[in-house]
Short mmCIF file of all heavy atoms in Angstrom, two decimals:
data_model
loop_
_atom_site.label_atom_id
_atom_site.label_comp_id
_atom_site.label_asym_id
_atom_site.label_seq_id
_atom_site.Cartn_x
_atom_site.Cartn_y
_atom_site.Cartn_z
N ASP U 226 118.53 57.77 161.02
CA ASP U 226 117.69 57.99 159.84
C ASP U 226 116.54 58.94 160.20
O ASP U 226 116.27 59.21 161.37
CB ASP U 226 117.15 56.65 159.31
CG ASP U 226 116.30 55.94 160.32
OD1 ASP U 226 116.70 55.88 161.50
OD2 ASP U 226 115.22 55.44 159.96
N ILE U 227 115.86 59.44 159.19
CA ILE U 227 114.80 60.42 159.41
C ILE U 227 113.71 59.88 160.32
O ILE U 227 113.26 60.56 161.26
CB ILE U 227 114.19 60.85 158.06
CG1 ILE U 227 115.24 61.60 157.23
CG2 ILE U 227 112.96 61.72 158.27
CD1 ILE U 227 114.76 61.99 155.85
N PHE U 228 113.30 58.63 160.07
CA PHE U 228 112.26 58.02 160.89
C PHE U 228 112.69 57.96 162.36
O PHE U 228 111.95 58.32 163.26
CB PHE U 228 111.96 56.61 160.37
CG PHE U 228 110.89 55.89 161.15
CD1 PHE U 228 109.55 56.19 160.98
CD2 PHE U 228 111.24 54.89 162.05
CE1 PHE U 228 108.57 55.54 161.70
CE2 PHE U 228 110.27 54.22 162.77
CZ PHE U 228 108.93 54.54 162.59
N GLY U 229 113.94 57.52 162.60
CA GLY U 229 114.44 57.40 163.96
C GLY U 229 114.50 58.73 164.67
O GLY U 229 114.17 58.84 165.85
N ARG U 230 114.95 59.76 163.97
CA ARG U 230 115.04 61.09 164.57
C ARG U 230 113.66 61.65 164.91
O ARG U 230 113.47 62.26 165.96
CB ARG U 230 115.78 62.04 163.64
CG ARG U 230 117.28 61.71 163.51
CD ARG U 230 118.00 62.76 162.67
NE ARG U 230 119.40 62.45 162.51
CZ ARG U 230 120.34 62.73 163.41
NH1 ARG U 230 119.99 63.34 164.54
NH2 ARG U 230 121.60 62.42 163.19
N ILE U 231 112.70 61.44 164.01
CA ILE U 231 111.34 61.92 164.26
C ILE U 231 110.75 61.24 165.49
O ILE U 231 110.16 61.88 166.36
CB ILE U 231 110.45 61.69 163.03
CG1 ILE U 231 110.88 62.61 161.88
CG2 ILE U 231 108.98 61.94 163.38
CD1 ILE U 231 110.14 62.37 160.59
N VAL U 232 110.93 59.91 165.56
CA VAL U 232 110.40 59.16 166.70
C VAL U 232 111.03 59.66 168.00
O VAL U 232 110.35 59.87 169.00
CB VAL U 232 110.67 57.65 166.53
CG1 VAL U 232 110.27 56.90 167.79
CG2 VAL U 232 109.91 57.12 165.34
N GLY U 233 112.35 59.85 167.98
CA GLY U 233 113.04 60.32 169.18
C GLY U 233 112.54 61.67 169.64
O GLY U 233 112.32 61.90 170.83
N LEU U 234 112.33 62.57 168.70
CA LEU U 234 111.85 63.91 169.04
C LEU U 234 110.42 63.88 169.58
O LEU U 234 110.10 64.54 170.56
CB LEU U 234 111.92 64.82 167.81
CG LEU U 234 113.33 65.23 167.36
CD1 LEU U 234 113.26 65.96 166.03
CD2 LEU U 234 113.98 66.12 168.42
N LEU U 235 109.57 63.10 168.92
CA LEU U 235 108.17 63.05 169.32
C LEU U 235 107.96 62.36 170.67
O LEU U 235 107.03 62.69 171.41
CB LEU U 235 107.34 62.34 168.24
CG LEU U 235 107.18 63.10 166.92
CD1 LEU U 235 106.42 62.26 165.92
CD2 LEU U 235 106.44 64.42 167.14
N THR U 236 108.81 61.39 170.99
CA THR U 236 108.63 60.66 172.25
C THR U 236 109.34 61.32 173.41
O THR U 236 109.11 60.98 174.56
CB THR U 236 109.14 59.21 172.12
OG1 THR U 236 110.53 59.24 171.79
CG2 THR U 236 108.38 58.47 171.04
N GLY U 237 110.22 62.26 173.13
CA GLY U 237 110.88 63.00 174.20
C GLY U 237 112.03 62.28 174.86
O GLY U 237 112.81 62.88 175.59
N GLY U 238 112.17 60.99 174.61
CA GLY U 238 113.23 60.25 175.27
C GLY U 238 114.45 60.03 174.41
O GLY U 238 115.49 59.58 174.88
N GLY U 239 114.33 60.36 173.12
CA GLY U 239 115.46 60.19 172.23
C GLY U 239 115.61 58.79 171.67
O GLY U 239 116.33 58.59 170.70
N PHE U 240 114.92 57.82 172.25
CA PHE U 240 115.03 56.44 171.79
C PHE U 240 113.95 56.14 170.74
O PHE U 240 112.79 56.47 170.92
CB PHE U 240 114.90 55.46 172.96
CG PHE U 240 115.98 55.62 173.98
CD1 PHE U 240 115.70 56.14 175.24
CD2 PHE U 240 117.29 55.26 173.69
CE1 PHE U 240 116.70 56.31 176.18
CE2 PHE U 240 118.30 55.42 174.63
CZ PHE U 240 118.01 55.95 175.87
N SER U 241 114.38 55.50 169.66
CA SER U 241 113.43 55.19 168.59
C SER U 241 113.17 53.70 168.45
O SER U 241 112.37 53.30 167.61
CB SER U 241 113.95 55.75 167.26
OG SER U 241 115.27 55.29 167.00
N HIS U 242 113.84 52.87 169.26
CA HIS U 242 113.68 51.42 169.15
C HIS U 242 113.89 50.77 170.50
O HIS U 242 114.71 51.22 171.32
CB HIS U 242 114.69 50.86 168.15
CG HIS U 242 114.50 49.41 167.84
ND1 HIS U 242 113.39 48.93 167.17
CD2 HIS U 242 115.28 48.33 168.11
CE1 HIS U 242 113.49 47.62 167.03
NE2 HIS U 242 114.63 47.23 167.59
N VAL U 243 113.14 49.69 170.74
CA VAL U 243 113.30 48.90 171.97
C VAL U 243 113.16 47.43 171.63
O VAL U 243 112.40 47.05 170.74
CB VAL U 243 112.27 49.32 173.05
CG1 VAL U 243 110.83 49.07 172.58
CG2 VAL U 243 112.53 48.58 174.37
N SER U 244 113.93 46.60 172.29
CA SER U 244 113.88 45.15 172.08
C SER U 244 113.99 44.46 173.43
O SER U 244 114.41 45.07 174.43
CB SER U 244 115.00 44.69 171.14
OG SER U 244 116.25 45.19 171.56
N VAL U 245 113.65 43.19 173.49
CA VAL U 245 113.62 42.46 174.75
C VAL U 245 114.45 41.17 174.65
O VAL U 245 114.47 40.53 173.60
CB VAL U 245 112.16 42.12 175.17
CG1 VAL U 245 111.46 41.28 174.11
CG2 VAL U 245 112.12 41.43 176.52
N SER U 246 115.12 40.83 175.74
CA SER U 246 115.89 39.58 175.80
C SER U 246 115.58 38.85 177.10
O SER U 246 115.64 39.45 178.18
CB SER U 246 117.39 39.86 175.72
OG SER U 246 118.13 38.66 175.90
N PRO U 247 115.29 37.54 177.02
CA PRO U 247 115.09 36.75 178.24
C PRO U 247 116.40 36.17 178.76
O PRO U 247 116.44 35.52 179.78
CB PRO U 247 114.15 35.64 177.78
CG PRO U 247 114.56 35.41 176.35
CD PRO U 247 114.96 36.76 175.81
N ASP U 248 117.49 36.42 178.02
CA ASP U 248 118.80 35.87 178.38
C ASP U 248 119.88 36.82 177.88
O ASP U 248 120.36 36.70 176.75
CB ASP U 248 118.98 34.48 177.77
CG ASP U 248 120.35 33.87 178.08
OD1 ASP U 248 121.04 34.38 178.99
OD2 ASP U 248 120.73 32.89 177.42
N LEU U 249 120.27 37.77 178.73
CA LEU U 249 121.21 38.80 178.32
C LEU U 249 122.56 38.23 177.91
O LEU U 249 123.23 38.74 177.01
CB LEU U 249 121.41 39.80 179.46
CG LEU U 249 122.28 41.03 179.17
CD1 LEU U 249 121.73 41.81 177.98
CD2 LEU U 249 122.36 41.92 180.40
N GLY U 250 122.97 37.14 178.52
CA GLY U 250 124.26 36.55 178.21
C GLY U 250 124.36 36.01 176.80
O GLY U 250 125.46 35.76 176.31
N SER U 251 123.23 35.84 176.11
CA SER U 251 123.24 35.28 174.76
C SER U 251 123.39 36.33 173.66
O SER U 251 123.62 35.99 172.51
CB SER U 251 121.94 34.49 174.51
OG SER U 251 120.85 35.40 174.44
N ASP U 252 123.26 37.61 174.01
CA ASP U 252 123.28 38.70 173.03
C ASP U 252 122.24 38.47 171.94
O ASP U 252 122.48 38.69 170.76
CB ASP U 252 124.68 38.86 172.40
CG ASP U 252 124.72 40.01 171.38
OD1 ASP U 252 124.04 41.01 171.60
OD2 ASP U 252 125.41 39.86 170.35
N VAL U 253 121.04 38.01 172.32
CA VAL U 253 119.94 37.85 171.38
C VAL U 253 118.73 38.60 171.93
O VAL U 253 118.29 38.35 173.05
CB VAL U 253 119.57 36.36 171.16
CG1 VAL U 253 118.35 36.25 170.25
CG2 VAL U 253 120.75 35.61 170.57
N PHE U 254 118.23 39.54 171.14
CA PHE U 254 117.07 40.33 171.51
C PHE U 254 115.98 40.14 170.46
O PHE U 254 116.26 39.78 169.32
CB PHE U 254 117.44 41.82 171.60
CG PHE U 254 118.27 42.18 172.80
CD1 PHE U 254 119.62 41.89 172.82
CD2 PHE U 254 117.70 42.81 173.90
CE1 PHE U 254 120.41 42.22 173.93
CE2 PHE U 254 118.47 43.14 175.00
CZ PHE U 254 119.83 42.85 175.01
N TYR U 255 114.74 40.41 170.85
CA TYR U 255 113.60 40.22 169.96
C TYR U 255 112.81 41.51 169.87
O TYR U 255 112.60 42.21 170.87
CB TYR U 255 112.70 39.09 170.48
CG TYR U 255 113.44 37.78 170.63
CD1 TYR U 255 114.06 37.46 171.83
CD2 TYR U 255 113.55 36.89 169.56
CE1 TYR U 255 114.78 36.26 171.97
CE2 TYR U 255 114.26 35.71 169.69
CZ TYR U 255 114.87 35.40 170.90
OH TYR U 255 115.58 34.23 171.02
N SER U 256 112.35 41.83 168.66
CA SER U 256 111.59 43.05 168.46
C SER U 256 110.92 43.01 167.09
O SER U 256 110.87 41.97 166.44
CB SER U 256 112.51 44.27 168.58
OG SER U 256 111.75 45.47 168.60
N PHE U 257 110.43 44.17 166.67
CA PHE U 257 109.90 44.35 165.31
C PHE U 257 110.62 45.53 164.67
O PHE U 257 110.90 46.53 165.33
CB PHE U 257 108.39 44.65 165.34
CG PHE U 257 107.53 43.43 165.25
CD1 PHE U 257 107.43 42.57 166.34
CD2 PHE U 257 106.82 43.11 164.10
CE1 PHE U 257 106.64 41.43 166.29
CE2 PHE U 257 106.03 41.97 164.03
CZ PHE U 257 105.95 41.12 165.12
N ASN U 258 110.95 45.38 163.40
CA ASN U 258 111.46 46.51 162.63
C ASN U 258 110.66 46.60 161.33
O ASN U 258 109.65 45.91 161.18
CB ASN U 258 112.97 46.37 162.37
CG ASN U 258 113.33 45.11 161.60
OD1 ASN U 258 112.53 44.60 160.79
ND2 ASN U 258 114.52 44.58 161.84
N ILE U 259 111.11 47.43 160.41
CA ILE U 259 110.35 47.69 159.20
C ILE U 259 110.11 46.42 158.38
O ILE U 259 109.19 46.35 157.57
CB ILE U 259 111.07 48.76 158.35
CG1 ILE U 259 110.08 49.44 157.41
CG2 ILE U 259 112.26 48.18 157.63
CD1 ILE U 259 109.09 50.31 158.10
N LYS U 260 110.94 45.38 158.60
CA LYS U 260 110.79 44.13 157.85
C LYS U 260 109.88 43.13 158.56
O LYS U 260 109.58 42.07 158.01
CB LYS U 260 112.16 43.50 157.63
CG LYS U 260 113.08 44.33 156.74
CD LYS U 260 114.42 43.64 156.55
CE LYS U 260 115.34 44.47 155.67
NZ LYS U 260 116.67 43.81 155.48
N GLY U 261 109.48 43.42 159.79
CA GLY U 261 108.63 42.50 160.54
C GLY U 261 109.30 42.03 161.81
O GLY U 261 110.11 42.75 162.41
N PHE U 262 108.96 40.82 162.26
CA PHE U 262 109.54 40.28 163.48
C PHE U 262 111.04 40.09 163.29
O PHE U 262 111.49 39.59 162.26
CB PHE U 262 108.89 38.93 163.82
CG PHE U 262 109.45 38.30 165.06
CD1 PHE U 262 109.19 38.83 166.31
CD2 PHE U 262 110.25 37.18 164.97
CE1 PHE U 262 109.71 38.24 167.46
CE2 PHE U 262 110.78 36.58 166.10
CZ PHE U 262 110.50 37.11 167.35
N ALA U 263 111.83 40.50 164.29
CA ALA U 263 113.27 40.49 164.14
C ALA U 263 113.98 39.85 165.32
O ALA U 263 113.61 40.08 166.48
CB ALA U 263 113.78 41.92 163.96
N VAL U 264 114.98 39.03 165.01
CA VAL U 264 115.91 38.50 166.01
C VAL U 264 117.17 39.33 165.87
O VAL U 264 117.82 39.32 164.83
CB VAL U 264 116.21 37.01 165.77
CG1 VAL U 264 117.21 36.49 166.81
CG2 VAL U 264 114.93 36.19 165.83
N GLU U 265 117.51 40.07 166.92
CA GLU U 265 118.60 41.03 166.84
C GLU U 265 119.79 40.60 167.70
O GLU U 265 119.61 40.09 168.80
CB GLU U 265 118.12 42.41 167.31
CG GLU U 265 116.92 42.92 166.52
CD GLU U 265 116.33 44.19 167.09
OE1 GLU U 265 116.69 44.58 168.23
OE2 GLU U 265 115.47 44.80 166.41
N ARG U 266 120.97 40.86 167.18
CA ARG U 266 122.22 40.62 167.92
C ARG U 266 123.01 41.92 167.91
O ARG U 266 123.88 42.13 167.06
CB ARG U 266 123.02 39.48 167.28
CG ARG U 266 122.33 38.12 167.37
CD ARG U 266 123.16 37.04 166.69
NE ARG U 266 122.61 35.72 166.90
CZ ARG U 266 121.64 35.18 166.15
NH1 ARG U 266 121.15 35.88 165.14
NH2 ARG U 266 121.19 33.97 166.40
N PRO U 267 122.72 42.82 168.83
CA PRO U 267 123.30 44.17 168.79
C PRO U 267 124.82 44.23 168.92
O PRO U 267 125.44 45.17 168.45
CB PRO U 267 122.63 44.89 169.97
CG PRO U 267 122.16 43.78 170.86
CD PRO U 267 121.79 42.66 169.95
N LEU U 268 125.43 43.23 169.55
CA LEU U 268 126.89 43.25 169.68
C LEU U 268 127.57 42.66 168.46
O LEU U 268 128.71 43.00 168.15
CB LEU U 268 127.33 42.49 170.94
CG LEU U 268 126.79 43.03 172.27
CD1 LEU U 268 127.41 42.28 173.43
CD2 LEU U 268 127.04 44.52 172.40
N ALA U 269 126.89 41.77 167.77
CA ALA U 269 127.47 41.13 166.59
C ALA U 269 127.23 41.94 165.33
O ALA U 269 127.98 41.85 164.36
CB ALA U 269 126.90 39.72 166.42
N HIS U 270 126.17 42.74 165.33
CA HIS U 270 125.81 43.51 164.14
C HIS U 270 125.59 44.95 164.53
O HIS U 270 124.77 45.27 165.38
CB HIS U 270 124.54 42.94 163.51
CG HIS U 270 124.07 43.70 162.32
ND1 HIS U 270 124.83 43.85 161.18
CD2 HIS U 270 122.90 44.36 162.08
CE1 HIS U 270 124.16 44.56 160.28
NE2 HIS U 270 122.99 44.89 160.82
N SER U 271 126.33 45.87 163.91
CA SER U 271 126.24 47.30 164.23
C SER U 271 125.86 48.10 162.99
O SER U 271 126.73 48.48 162.20
CB SER U 271 127.59 47.79 164.79
OG SER U 271 127.52 49.17 165.10
N PRO U 272 124.57 48.38 162.80
CA PRO U 272 124.14 49.17 161.64
C PRO U 272 124.77 50.56 161.67
O PRO U 272 124.94 51.15 162.73
CB PRO U 272 122.62 49.24 161.81
CG PRO U 272 122.27 48.14 162.75
CD PRO U 272 123.45 47.98 163.65
N ARG U 273 125.10 51.09 160.49
CA ARG U 273 125.72 52.41 160.42
C ARG U 273 124.85 53.49 161.04
O ARG U 273 125.34 54.45 161.63
CB ARG U 273 126.02 52.77 158.96
CG ARG U 273 127.12 51.95 158.33
CD ARG U 273 127.36 52.44 156.91
NE ARG U 273 128.41 51.66 156.25
CZ ARG U 273 128.80 51.85 155.00
NH1 ARG U 273 128.22 52.81 154.29
NH2 ARG U 273 129.75 51.10 154.47
#
């Protein structure tokens, strides 16, 4: 999306989002997105 591309360009690293997991085997990460605090499952849910 436009926001993601702008962030990637401005930060120089290409990445527009980061999340953290205390247990990689659970496929549960925590972060913030436009809706607020988010519990993310990147392997179970793949946004277009």
Side-chain angles (χ1 to χ4, degrees):
D226 62 315
I227 294 176
F228 180 76
R230 290 185 182 277
I231 291 175
V232 173
L234 288 172
L235 291 176
T236 60
F240 298 110
S241 53
H242 187 66
V243 61
S244 50
V245 59
S246 175
D248 179 15
L249 185 57
S251 69
D252 180 35
V253 176
F254 287 77
Y255 303 90
S256 189
F257 269 73
N258 60 30
I259 203 69
K260 295 180 180 179
F262 179 71
V264 179
E265 303 172 349
R266 294 179 173 85
L268 301 186
H270 177 60
S271 180
R273 291 182 181 179

